[in-house]
Amino acid sequence: MLDTSRDPVPAPAPTSTENAPEEPRGCLFALSQPPLMIFLAVIGALLLMAALHDLFLL
């Protein structure tokens, strides 16, 4: 893989975890939260019930 950085020398890696900046939390962290998963499960169940109602009862 080609190195596309424009810096002549790469930045040194932090040596200790105490001074390292905290990494930003992304989408996978948000999806791991129980309230969000419960909300998405309820919405998914409602959509499933509506789809089954349309398929079999209408």
Side-chain angles (χ1 to χ4, degrees):
M1 182 176 213
L2 295 175
D3 183 14
T4 58
S5 65
R6 295 183 182 189
D7 296 333
V9 178
T15 56
S16 68
T17 58
E18 296 172 0
N19 295 334
E22 185 176 331
E23 293 183 14
R25 297 176 187 236
C27 184
L28 291 178
F29 175 76
L31 283 178
S32 68
Q33 301 304 308
L36 178 63
M37 292 307 292
I38 292 170
F39 172 75
L40 292 176
V42 168
I43 297 299
L46 289 174
L47 288 172
L48 179 64
M49 287 173 35
L52 291 176
H53 177 266
D54 286 348
L55 285 173
F56 295 119
L57 298 177
L58 290 181

